[in-house]
Amino acid sequence: MHTADVVLIGGGIVGSSIAYHLVAAGCKSVLVIERETAQGRGSTGKSMGGVRAQFSTPVNIQMSLYSIPFYASFEERLGYPCDYRPRGYLFCATNEKHMAYLRANYEEQVAMGLKNVQLVAGDEIRGMFPLLRGNDIIGGSFCATDGFVDPNSAMIGFMTWASDHGATLWKNATVTAIARRGETFEVTTTGESVSTPVVVNCAGAWAAEIARMVGISLPVEPLRRMLVPTEPFDQFPHTAPMIVDMSTGFHFRPESRGFLFAWNDPEETPGYKTDFDPGFIEKILTRAADRVPVFENVEVNPQRAWAGLYEMTPDHHPILGESPEVPGFFFANGFSGHGVMHSPATGKILSDLILTGKTELIEASLLNFSRFAEGRMIHETAVL
Ligand SMILES: Cc1cc2nc3c(=O)[nH]c(=O)nc-3n(C[C@H](O)[C@H](O)[C@H](O)COP(=O)(O)OP(=O)(O)OC[C@H]3O[C@@H](n4cnc5c(N)ncnc54)[C@H](O)[C@@H]3O)c2cc1C
Protein backbone atom coordinates (compact mmCIF):
# COMPACT_ATOMS: atom_id res chain seq x y z
CA MET A 1 0.00 0.00 0.00
CA HIS A 2 1.42 3.38 -1.09
CA THR A 3 0.81 6.57 0.87
CA ALA A 4 0.40 10.20 -0.23
CA ASP A 5 -0.60 13.43 1.50
CA VAL A 6 -3.04 14.22 -1.33
CA VAL A 7 -4.50 11.97 -4.04
CA LEU A 8 -6.00 13.61 -7.13
CA ILE A 9 -8.33 11.41 -9.18
CA GLY A 10 -8.11 12.48 -12.85
CA GLY A 11 -5.07 13.73 -14.75
CA GLY A 12 -6.77 16.32 -17.00
CA ILE A 13 -5.97 20.03 -16.84
CA VAL A 14 -7.76 20.46 -13.49
CA GLY A 15 -5.92 17.63 -11.68
CA SER A 16 -2.66 18.81 -13.22
CA SER A 17 -3.16 22.43 -12.14
CA ILE A 18 -4.04 21.39 -8.58
CA ALA A 19 -0.92 19.19 -8.50
CA TYR A 20 1.19 22.15 -9.65
CA HIS A 21 -0.30 24.55 -7.10
CA LEU A 22 0.03 22.07 -4.22
CA VAL A 23 3.67 21.30 -5.01
CA ALA A 24 4.46 24.99 -5.57
CA ALA A 25 2.98 25.68 -2.11
CA GLY A 26 5.32 23.10 -0.54
CA CYS A 27 3.14 19.96 -0.46
CA LYS A 28 5.31 17.44 -2.31
CA SER A 29 3.56 14.18 -1.52
CA VAL A 30 0.96 14.46 -4.27
CA LEU A 31 -0.27 11.53 -6.38
CA VAL A 32 -2.34 12.02 -9.56
CA ILE A 33 -4.22 8.93 -10.76
CA GLU A 34 -5.26 8.78 -14.43
CA ARG A 35 -7.06 5.81 -15.97
CA GLU A 36 -5.85 6.41 -19.53
CA THR A 37 -2.37 5.55 -20.79
CA ALA A 38 -1.88 9.23 -21.69
CA GLN A 39 -3.20 12.49 -20.25
CA GLY A 40 -5.73 14.58 -22.19
CA ARG A 41 -8.09 11.86 -23.34
CA GLY A 42 -10.96 13.32 -21.32
CA SER A 43 -12.44 16.76 -22.06
CA THR A 44 -9.15 18.66 -21.93
CA GLY A 45 -7.90 17.22 -25.20
CA LYS A 46 -11.24 18.04 -26.88
CA SER A 47 -11.45 21.68 -25.79
CA MET A 48 -11.58 24.77 -27.99
CA GLY A 49 -9.01 26.43 -25.70
CA GLY A 50 -10.95 29.67 -25.28
CA VAL A 51 -10.08 31.83 -22.25
CA ARG A 52 -12.16 34.86 -21.31
CA ALA A 53 -13.02 37.16 -18.46
CA GLN A 54 -16.27 38.31 -20.10
CA PHE A 55 -18.64 36.55 -17.72
CA SER A 56 -21.75 37.78 -15.96
CA THR A 57 -21.15 36.64 -12.36
CA PRO A 58 -18.50 38.17 -10.09
CA VAL A 59 -17.11 34.79 -9.05
CA ASN A 60 -16.52 33.66 -12.64
CA ILE A 61 -14.92 37.03 -13.44
CA GLN A 62 -12.67 36.64 -10.37
CA MET A 63 -11.60 33.16 -11.45
CA SER A 64 -10.64 34.60 -14.86
CA LEU A 65 -8.82 37.56 -13.30
CA TYR A 66 -6.45 35.06 -11.68
CA SER A 67 -6.33 32.61 -14.58
CA ILE A 68 -5.68 34.82 -17.61
CA PRO A 69 -2.64 36.67 -16.18
CA PHE A 70 -1.45 33.24 -15.03
CA TYR A 71 -1.64 31.96 -18.61
CA ALA A 72 0.08 35.14 -19.83
CA SER A 73 3.07 34.36 -17.55
CA PHE A 74 2.83 30.56 -17.78
CA GLU A 75 6.16 29.96 -19.52
CA GLU A 76 7.97 32.36 -17.21
CA ARG A 77 6.56 30.61 -14.14
CA LEU A 78 6.76 26.98 -15.23
CA GLY A 79 9.33 26.91 -18.03
CA TYR A 80 6.82 25.25 -20.37
CA PRO A 81 4.64 26.88 -23.06
CA CYS A 82 0.83 27.11 -23.01
CA ASP A 83 0.53 29.10 -26.25
CA TYR A 84 -1.62 31.90 -24.80
CA ARG A 85 -2.81 34.08 -27.69
CA PRO A 86 -4.51 37.29 -26.47
CA ARG A 87 -6.62 37.80 -29.58
CA GLY A 88 -9.75 38.75 -27.67
CA TYR A 89 -13.39 37.67 -27.61
CA LEU A 90 -15.87 39.80 -29.55
CA PHE A 91 -19.53 39.37 -28.57
CA CYS A 92 -21.89 40.73 -31.26
CA ALA A 93 -25.41 41.74 -30.17
CA THR A 94 -28.29 41.91 -32.62
CA ASN A 95 -31.03 43.11 -30.27
CA GLU A 96 -31.47 45.52 -27.38
CA LYS A 97 -31.90 42.72 -24.84
CA HIS A 98 -28.50 41.27 -25.66
CA MET A 99 -26.92 44.73 -25.72
CA ALA A 100 -28.36 45.57 -22.31
CA TYR A 101 -27.00 42.26 -21.07
CA LEU A 102 -23.50 43.05 -22.42
CA ARG A 103 -23.68 46.53 -20.86
CA ALA A 104 -24.59 45.12 -17.44
CA ASN A 105 -21.81 42.52 -17.70
CA TYR A 106 -19.34 45.20 -18.81
CA GLU A 107 -20.13 47.30 -15.75
CA GLU A 108 -19.68 44.31 -13.45
CA GLN A 109 -16.41 43.32 -15.18
CA VAL A 110 -14.98 46.85 -14.90
CA ALA A 111 -16.10 47.08 -11.26
CA MET A 112 -14.25 43.82 -10.59
CA GLY A 113 -11.04 45.29 -12.04
CA LEU A 114 -11.01 43.98 -15.61
CA LYS A 115 -9.06 46.59 -17.58
CA ASN A 116 -9.22 45.62 -21.22
CA VAL A 117 -12.92 45.19 -21.80
CA GLN A 118 -14.81 47.73 -23.91
CA LEU A 119 -18.24 48.22 -25.41
CA VAL A 120 -18.14 48.64 -29.18
CA ALA A 121 -20.66 50.19 -31.56
CA GLY A 122 -22.19 48.32 -34.48
CA ASP A 123 -20.29 50.54 -36.95
CA GLU A 124 -16.99 49.74 -35.25
CA ILE A 125 -17.66 46.01 -35.60
CA ARG A 126 -18.61 46.46 -39.26
CA GLY A 127 -15.41 48.49 -39.74
CA MET A 128 -13.22 45.87 -38.05
CA PHE A 129 -14.78 42.89 -39.80
CA PRO A 130 -16.46 43.96 -43.05
CA LEU A 131 -16.90 40.30 -43.96
CA LEU A 132 -19.37 39.76 -41.11
CA ARG A 133 -23.00 40.21 -42.12
CA GLY A 134 -23.39 43.30 -39.98
CA ASN A 135 -26.75 44.78 -41.00
CA ASP A 136 -28.40 43.61 -37.75
CA ILE A 137 -25.42 44.04 -35.37
CA ILE A 138 -26.22 46.90 -33.01
CA GLY A 139 -23.07 46.69 -30.89
CA GLY A 140 -21.00 44.37 -28.81
CA SER A 141 -18.25 43.97 -26.28
CA PHE A 142 -14.60 43.12 -26.76
CA CYS A 143 -11.85 42.22 -24.31
CA ALA A 144 -8.32 42.19 -25.72
CA THR A 145 -6.80 39.92 -23.04
CA ASP A 146 -9.37 37.19 -23.70
CA GLY A 147 -8.15 34.70 -26.28
CA PHE A 148 -6.97 31.11 -26.58
CA VAL A 149 -4.47 28.68 -25.07
CA ASP A 150 -3.37 25.21 -26.09
CA PRO A 151 -5.09 23.09 -23.38
CA ASN A 152 -2.88 20.08 -23.93
CA SER A 153 0.34 22.07 -23.56
CA ALA A 154 -0.96 23.79 -20.42
CA MET A 155 -1.96 20.44 -18.87
CA ILE A 156 1.38 18.83 -19.69
CA GLY A 157 3.23 21.94 -18.43
CA PHE A 158 1.40 21.84 -15.08
CA MET A 159 1.95 18.10 -14.63
CA THR A 160 5.56 18.04 -15.79
CA TRP A 161 6.48 20.89 -13.46
CA ALA A 162 4.71 19.13 -10.57
CA SER A 163 6.46 15.82 -11.38
CA ASP A 164 9.83 17.56 -11.70
CA HIS A 165 9.32 18.92 -8.17
CA GLY A 166 8.06 15.85 -6.33
CA ALA A 167 4.55 14.85 -7.49
CA THR A 168 3.81 11.40 -8.95
CA LEU A 169 1.51 10.51 -11.86
CA TRP A 170 0.06 7.02 -12.21
CA LYS A 171 -1.26 6.40 -15.70
CA ASN A 172 -3.30 3.41 -16.83
CA ALA A 173 -4.78 3.12 -13.31
CA THR A 174 -8.57 3.34 -12.97
CA VAL A 175 -9.91 4.18 -9.53
CA THR A 176 -12.46 1.47 -8.71
CA ALA A 177 -13.19 2.05 -5.00
CA ILE A 178 -12.60 4.52 -2.19
CA ALA A 179 -12.95 3.27 1.38
CA ARG A 180 -12.87 5.38 4.54
CA ARG A 181 -10.51 3.93 7.20
CA GLY A 182 -10.70 6.23 10.25
CA GLU A 183 -8.97 9.47 9.29
CA THR A 184 -7.71 8.18 5.96
CA PHE A 185 -9.02 6.89 2.65
CA GLU A 186 -7.93 3.75 0.88
CA VAL A 187 -8.07 4.36 -2.86
CA THR A 188 -8.13 1.18 -4.92
CA THR A 189 -7.18 1.17 -8.58
CA THR A 190 -6.86 -1.46 -11.28
CA GLY A 191 -3.12 -1.23 -10.54
CA GLU A 192 -1.91 -0.42 -7.06
CA SER A 193 -3.65 1.09 -4.03
CA VAL A 194 -2.87 4.14 -1.94
CA SER A 195 -3.74 5.41 1.53
CA THR A 196 -4.25 9.17 1.99
CA PRO A 197 -5.98 11.69 4.27
CA VAL A 198 -7.10 13.84 1.31
CA VAL A 199 -8.80 12.80 -1.94
CA VAL A 200 -9.68 15.33 -4.66
CA ASN A 201 -12.25 14.45 -7.30
CA CYS A 202 -10.86 15.83 -10.60
CA ALA A 203 -12.63 13.32 -12.83
CA GLY A 204 -14.28 15.85 -15.18
CA ALA A 205 -17.47 14.56 -16.79
CA TRP A 206 -17.07 11.30 -14.83
CA ALA A 207 -17.01 13.07 -11.44
CA ALA A 208 -20.40 11.75 -10.30
CA GLU A 209 -19.08 8.16 -10.55
CA ILE A 210 -16.16 8.99 -8.25
CA ALA A 211 -18.42 10.82 -5.77
CA ARG A 212 -20.73 7.80 -5.67
CA MET A 213 -17.80 5.73 -4.37
CA VAL A 214 -18.00 7.70 -1.10
CA GLY A 215 -21.80 7.80 -1.05
CA ILE A 216 -22.26 11.31 -2.45
CA SER A 217 -24.75 12.19 -5.16
CA LEU A 218 -22.95 14.91 -7.15
CA PRO A 219 -25.03 17.00 -9.59
CA VAL A 220 -22.57 16.87 -12.52
CA GLU A 221 -23.92 15.64 -15.87
CA PRO A 222 -22.04 14.94 -19.11
CA LEU A 223 -23.28 16.87 -22.15
CA ARG A 224 -21.88 16.30 -25.64
CA ARG A 225 -20.25 19.21 -27.37
CA MET A 226 -19.08 19.10 -31.00
CA LEU A 227 -16.46 21.17 -32.83
CA VAL A 228 -15.91 21.48 -36.57
CA PRO A 229 -12.53 22.58 -37.96
CA THR A 230 -12.46 23.86 -41.53
CA GLU A 231 -9.92 23.03 -44.17
CA PRO A 232 -7.37 25.84 -44.86
CA PHE A 233 -9.33 29.01 -45.63
CA ASP A 234 -7.90 32.47 -46.43
CA GLN A 235 -10.98 34.54 -47.16
CA PHE A 236 -11.41 35.69 -43.52
CA PRO A 237 -8.56 37.26 -41.48
CA HIS A 238 -6.53 34.86 -39.37
CA THR A 239 -5.92 37.61 -36.83
CA ALA A 240 -9.60 37.45 -35.81
CA PRO A 241 -10.60 37.08 -32.17
CA MET A 242 -13.18 34.54 -30.99
CA ILE A 243 -16.29 36.03 -32.61
CA VAL A 244 -19.60 35.22 -30.95
CA ASP A 245 -22.88 35.72 -32.83
CA MET A 246 -25.32 36.21 -29.97
CA SER A 247 -28.33 35.78 -32.26
CA THR A 248 -27.59 32.05 -32.70
CA GLY A 249 -24.72 31.28 -30.31
CA PHE A 250 -22.49 30.34 -33.27
CA HIS A 251 -18.84 31.27 -32.54
CA PHE A 252 -15.55 30.69 -34.26
CA ARG A 253 -11.87 31.40 -34.05
CA PRO A 254 -8.86 30.98 -36.30
CA GLU A 255 -7.16 27.61 -35.96
CA SER A 256 -4.04 26.69 -37.90
CA ARG A 257 -4.68 27.66 -41.57
CA GLY A 258 -8.44 27.43 -41.19
CA PHE A 259 -11.09 28.14 -38.53
CA LEU A 260 -12.70 26.25 -35.68
CA PHE A 261 -16.52 26.41 -35.55
CA ALA A 262 -18.61 25.90 -32.38
CA TRP A 263 -22.30 26.01 -31.63
CA ASN A 264 -24.34 24.85 -28.68
CA ASP A 265 -27.02 22.60 -30.16
CA PRO A 266 -30.13 23.07 -27.96
CA GLU A 267 -31.34 19.61 -29.02
CA GLU A 268 -28.38 17.89 -27.34
CA THR A 269 -29.34 15.73 -24.33
CA PRO A 270 -27.16 14.63 -21.38
CA GLY A 271 -25.23 11.36 -21.60
CA TYR A 272 -21.83 9.84 -22.30
CA LYS A 273 -21.98 10.41 -26.07
CA THR A 274 -18.57 11.05 -27.56
CA ASP A 275 -19.25 10.09 -31.17
CA PHE A 276 -19.41 12.96 -33.68
CA ASP A 277 -22.83 13.27 -35.36
CA PRO A 278 -22.29 14.10 -39.08
CA GLY A 279 -25.75 15.74 -39.14
CA PHE A 280 -24.26 18.53 -37.00
CA ILE A 281 -22.14 19.79 -39.91
CA GLU A 282 -25.06 21.11 -41.90
CA LYS A 283 -26.58 22.73 -38.81
CA ILE A 284 -23.38 24.60 -37.97
CA LEU A 285 -22.48 25.54 -41.56
CA THR A 286 -25.90 27.14 -41.99
CA ARG A 287 -25.25 29.36 -38.98
CA ALA A 288 -21.66 30.07 -40.09
CA ALA A 289 -22.66 31.20 -43.59
CA ASP A 290 -25.53 33.25 -42.20
CA ARG A 291 -23.15 35.41 -40.14
CA VAL A 292 -20.08 35.24 -42.40
CA PRO A 293 -21.29 34.88 -46.01
CA VAL A 294 -17.79 33.89 -47.32
CA PHE A 295 -18.04 30.80 -45.10
CA GLU A 296 -20.35 29.47 -47.85
CA ASN A 297 -17.05 28.57 -49.51
CA VAL A 298 -15.38 26.70 -46.61
CA GLU A 299 -14.60 23.05 -46.94
CA VAL A 300 -15.02 20.69 -44.03
CA ASN A 301 -13.73 17.15 -43.65
CA PRO A 302 -16.14 15.34 -41.28
CA GLN A 303 -13.31 12.94 -40.31
CA ARG A 304 -11.50 15.85 -38.64
CA ALA A 305 -14.50 17.03 -36.59
CA TRP A 306 -14.83 15.78 -33.02
CA ALA A 307 -17.03 15.56 -29.93
CA GLY A 308 -16.25 15.75 -26.23
CA LEU A 309 -18.10 16.24 -22.98
CA TYR A 310 -19.02 19.35 -21.02
CA GLU A 311 -19.49 18.63 -17.28
CA MET A 312 -22.66 20.51 -16.42
CA THR A 313 -23.95 21.61 -13.02
CA PRO A 314 -27.46 22.97 -12.43
CA ASP A 315 -26.18 26.58 -12.17
CA HIS A 316 -23.27 26.36 -14.65
CA HIS A 317 -20.70 27.06 -11.94
CA PRO A 318 -18.11 24.62 -10.66
CA ILE A 319 -18.34 22.81 -7.34
CA LEU A 320 -15.15 23.49 -5.38
CA GLY A 321 -14.02 22.58 -1.88
CA GLU A 322 -14.43 19.98 0.83
CA SER A 323 -17.47 17.74 1.11
CA PRO A 324 -19.58 18.63 4.16
CA GLU A 325 -20.51 14.93 4.51
CA VAL A 326 -17.13 13.27 3.95
CA PRO A 327 -14.29 15.28 5.54
CA GLY A 328 -11.07 15.03 3.53
CA PHE A 329 -12.93 14.48 0.25
CA PHE A 330 -12.71 17.55 -2.03
CA PHE A 331 -14.49 18.50 -5.25
CA ALA A 332 -12.98 20.24 -8.29
CA ASN A 333 -15.85 19.50 -10.63
CA GLY A 334 -18.63 20.77 -12.85
CA PHE A 335 -16.88 23.48 -14.86
CA SER A 336 -19.77 23.54 -17.32
CA GLY A 337 -17.45 24.10 -20.27
CA HIS A 338 -15.00 26.53 -18.60
CA GLY A 339 -12.50 24.14 -17.04
CA VAL A 340 -9.55 25.05 -19.23
CA MET A 341 -9.85 28.78 -18.69
CA HIS A 342 -10.51 28.39 -14.96
CA SER A 343 -7.97 25.67 -14.19
CA PRO A 344 -5.26 28.04 -12.88
CA ALA A 345 -7.69 29.60 -10.37
CA THR A 346 -9.06 26.17 -9.46
CA GLY A 347 -5.56 24.90 -8.73
CA LYS A 348 -4.87 27.84 -6.44
CA ILE A 349 -8.25 27.66 -4.67
CA LEU A 350 -8.04 23.90 -4.03
CA SER A 351 -4.42 24.11 -2.90
CA ASP A 352 -5.35 26.94 -0.48
CA LEU A 353 -8.38 25.07 0.88
CA ILE A 354 -6.50 21.77 1.31
CA LEU A 355 -3.41 23.28 2.92
CA THR A 356 -4.86 26.16 4.96
CA GLY A 357 -8.64 25.67 5.02
CA LYS A 358 -9.29 29.06 3.38
CA THR A 359 -8.63 31.05 0.22
CA GLU A 360 -8.56 34.72 -0.67
CA LEU A 361 -9.05 34.20 -4.39
CA ILE A 362 -12.86 33.94 -4.16
CA GLU A 363 -15.52 33.73 -1.47
CA ALA A 364 -15.27 29.94 -1.37
CA SER A 365 -18.72 29.32 0.09
CA LEU A 366 -20.25 30.63 -3.18
CA LEU A 367 -19.05 27.53 -5.01
CA ASN A 368 -19.34 24.91 -2.30
CA PHE A 369 -21.41 21.76 -2.58
CA SER A 370 -23.88 22.92 0.09
CA ARG A 371 -25.22 25.70 -2.14
CA PHE A 372 -27.58 23.27 -3.88
CA ALA A 373 -29.18 22.01 -0.67
CA GLU A 374 -29.30 25.55 0.73
CA GLY A 375 -30.89 27.08 -2.39
CA ARG A 376 -27.91 29.37 -3.11
CA MET A 377 -27.36 28.59 -6.78
CA ILE A 378 -25.77 31.40 -8.79
CA HIS A 379 -26.73 31.31 -12.44
CA GLU A 380 -24.17 32.07 -15.13
CA THR A 381 -25.87 33.06 -18.35
CA ALA A 382 -22.72 33.85 -20.37
CA VAL A 383 -22.29 30.18 -21.25
CA LEU A 384 -21.22 29.32 -24.80
C1 LIG B 1 -15.74 20.43 -27.42
C2 LIG B 1 -15.34 21.13 -26.14
C3 LIG B 1 -14.94 22.46 -26.19
C4 LIG B 1 -14.54 23.10 -25.01
N1 LIG B 1 -14.10 24.39 -25.08
C5 LIG B 1 -13.64 25.00 -23.96
C6 LIG B 1 -13.09 26.31 -24.03
O1 LIG B 1 -13.03 26.92 -25.09
N2 LIG B 1 -12.59 26.85 -22.87
C7 LIG B 1 -12.65 26.18 -21.67
O2 LIG B 1 -12.21 26.73 -20.66
N3 LIG B 1 -13.17 24.95 -21.58
C8 LIG B 1 -13.67 24.35 -22.69
N4 LIG B 1 -14.20 23.09 -22.61
C9 LIG B 1 -14.34 22.45 -21.29
C10 LIG B 1 -13.04 21.92 -20.81
O3 LIG B 1 -12.46 21.09 -21.80
C11 LIG B 1 -13.27 21.14 -19.51
O4 LIG B 1 -14.00 21.95 -18.60
C12 LIG B 1 -11.93 20.78 -18.87
O5 LIG B 1 -11.12 20.09 -19.80
C13 LIG B 1 -12.16 19.94 -17.63
O6 LIG B 1 -10.90 19.47 -17.19
P1 LIG B 1 -10.83 18.27 -16.17
O7 LIG B 1 -9.41 18.03 -15.89
O8 LIG B 1 -11.77 18.54 -15.05
O9 LIG B 1 -11.50 17.05 -16.97
P2 LIG B 1 -10.86 16.02 -18.00
O10 LIG B 1 -9.92 16.64 -18.93
O11 LIG B 1 -12.01 15.27 -18.59
O12 LIG B 1 -10.01 15.07 -17.07
C14 LIG B 1 -10.64 14.14 -16.20
C15 LIG B 1 -9.77 12.91 -16.20
O13 LIG B 1 -10.26 11.99 -15.23
C16 LIG B 1 -9.97 10.70 -15.70
N5 LIG B 1 -10.82 9.75 -14.98
C17 LIG B 1 -12.16 9.66 -14.99
N6 LIG B 1 -12.57 8.65 -14.20
C18 LIG B 1 -11.45 8.10 -13.67
C19 LIG B 1 -11.22 7.01 -12.79
N7 LIG B 1 -12.22 6.25 -12.30
N8 LIG B 1 -9.94 6.72 -12.44
C20 LIG B 1 -8.90 7.46 -12.94
N9 LIG B 1 -9.07 8.49 -13.78
C21 LIG B 1 -10.34 8.81 -14.15
C22 LIG B 1 -10.31 10.80 -17.18
O14 LIG B 1 -9.68 9.78 -17.93
C23 LIG B 1 -9.79 12.19 -17.53
O15 LIG B 1 -8.48 12.18 -18.07
C24 LIG B 1 -14.59 22.41 -23.76
C25 LIG B 1 -14.98 21.08 -23.73
C26 LIG B 1 -15.36 20.43 -24.91
C27 LIG B 1 -15.79 19.00 -24.85
Side-chain angles (χ1 to χ4, degrees):
M1 174 76 71
H2 296 263
T3 58
D5 288 350
V6 181
V7 167
L8 308 173
I9 302 175
I13 198 163
V14 168
S16 302
S17 171
I18 300 172
Y20 161 82
H21 280 88
L22 281 167
V23 174
C27 172
K28 309 265 182 218
S29 173
V30 173
L31 171 65
V32 180
I33 305 179
E34 170 54 51
R35 68 178 167 194
E36 301 287 348
T37 50
Q39 288 182 267
R41 298 214 172 127
S43 301
T44 301
K46 308 285 168 55
S47 167
M48 197 176 189
V51 296
R52 64 181 159 111
Q54 291 186 82
F55 278 100
S56 70
T57 66
V59 71
N60 269 341
I61 298 168
Q62 261 172 321
M63 303 252 310
S64 297
L65 286 174
Y66 178 87
S67 298
I68 294 176
F70 191 102
Y71 276 133
S73 58
F74 195 91
E75 192 157 355
E76 219 171 281
R77 290 170 189 248
L78 282 83
Y80 297 98
C82 74
D83 199 18
Y84 167 62
R85 282 156 285 164
R87 295 269 185 80
Y89 263 60
L90 174 66
F91 286 83
C92 301
T94 54
N95 61 48
E96 260 314 320
K97 194 171 145 230
H98 284 155
M99 200 57 224
Y101 173 74
L102 289 181
R103 244 180 250 118
N105 291 354
Y106 164 83
E107 273 157 30
E108 186 69 59
Q109 291 152 12
V110 170
M112 301 287 306
L114 181 61
K115 295 206 171 54
N116 297 293
V117 63
Q118 60 188 106
L119 291 172
V120 281
D123 282 344
E124 276 179 84
I125 296 177
R126 282 181 282 277
M128 284 190 283
F129 297 104
L131 291 172
L132 287 183
R133 181 178 60 75
N135 59 324
D136 59 347
I137 297 179
I138 60 169
S141 75
F142 178 74
C143 180
T145 42
D146 289 352
F148 339 119
V149 297
D150 174 8
N152 211 58
S153 298
M155 174 188 69
I156 296 295
F158 276 133
M159 195 62 235
T160 310
W161 191 99
S163 304
D164 288 348
H165 294 81
T168 304
L169 170 64
W170 287 356
K171 287 189 274 195
N172 202 13
T174 303
V175 171
T176 53
I178 306 170
R180 194 102 175 102
R181 303 260 183 268
E183 294 291 293
T184 58
F185 298 94
E186 201 175 296
V187 179
T188 308
T189 81
T190 44
E192 306 193 52
S193 298
V194 58
S195 165
T196 179
V198 176
V199 171
V200 189
N201 184 350
C202 315
W206 301 269
E209 294 171 15
I210 299 296
R212 221 171 290 128
M213 293 178 188
V214 290
I216 296 170
S217 170
L218 189 69
V220 173
E221 267 189 340
L223 185 67
R224 179 169 64 174
R225 179 75 169 196
M226 293 182 270
L227 294 180
V228 176
T230 73
E231 296 296 290
F233 188 76
D234 289 331
Q235 295 172 40
F236 198 85
H238 282 265
T239 49
M242 182 84 81
I243 297 181
V244 185
D245 177 356
M246 293 178 79
S247 68
T248 61
F250 168 71
H251 53 290
F252 67 99
R253 70 166 175 83
E255 166 70 17
S256 182
R257 291 171 55 213
F259 290 85
L260 192 54
F261 289 174
W263 176 63
N264 172 20
D265 187 343
E267 286 174 11
E268 193 62 74
T269 51
Y272 288 105
K273 294 176 267 177
T274 49
D275 52 316
F276 181 80
D277 169 11
F280 182 72
I281 292 190
E282 196 186 326
K283 291 188 190 179
I284 201 164
L285 287 184
T286 308
R287 273 128 190 125
D290 175 57
R291 182 52 63 199
V292 187
V294 293
F295 281 160
E296 290 241 349
N297 309 325
V298 289
E299 283 178 26
V300 161
N301 173 359
Q303 308 293 333
R304 292 182 56 235
W306 70 88
L309 297 170
Y310 268 20
E311 59 304 65
M312 305 303 288
T313 62
D315 64 1
H316 301 140
H317 280 80
I319 302 168
L320 305 181
E322 191 169 12
S323 160
E325 299 159 31
V326 184
F329 188 86
F330 287 73
F331 307 105
N333 304 122
F335 294 90
S336 306
H338 308 133
V340 168
M341 64 182 91
H342 283 163
S343 67
T346 300
K348 171 74 175 140
I349 292 165
L350 264 291
S351 154
D352 286 350
L353 293 176
I354 292 165
L355 300 178
T356 70
K358 57 183 177 12
T359 183
E360 288 180 0
L361 204 155
I362 55 165
E363 169 51 58
S365 65
L366 288 173
L367 298 183
N368 67 14
F369 179 75
S370 311
R371 74 179 186 269
F372 301 106
E374 292 167 7
R376 291 188 285 106
M377 289 199 271
I378 31 170
H379 286 284
E380 176 56 76
T381 42
V383 178
L384 292 177

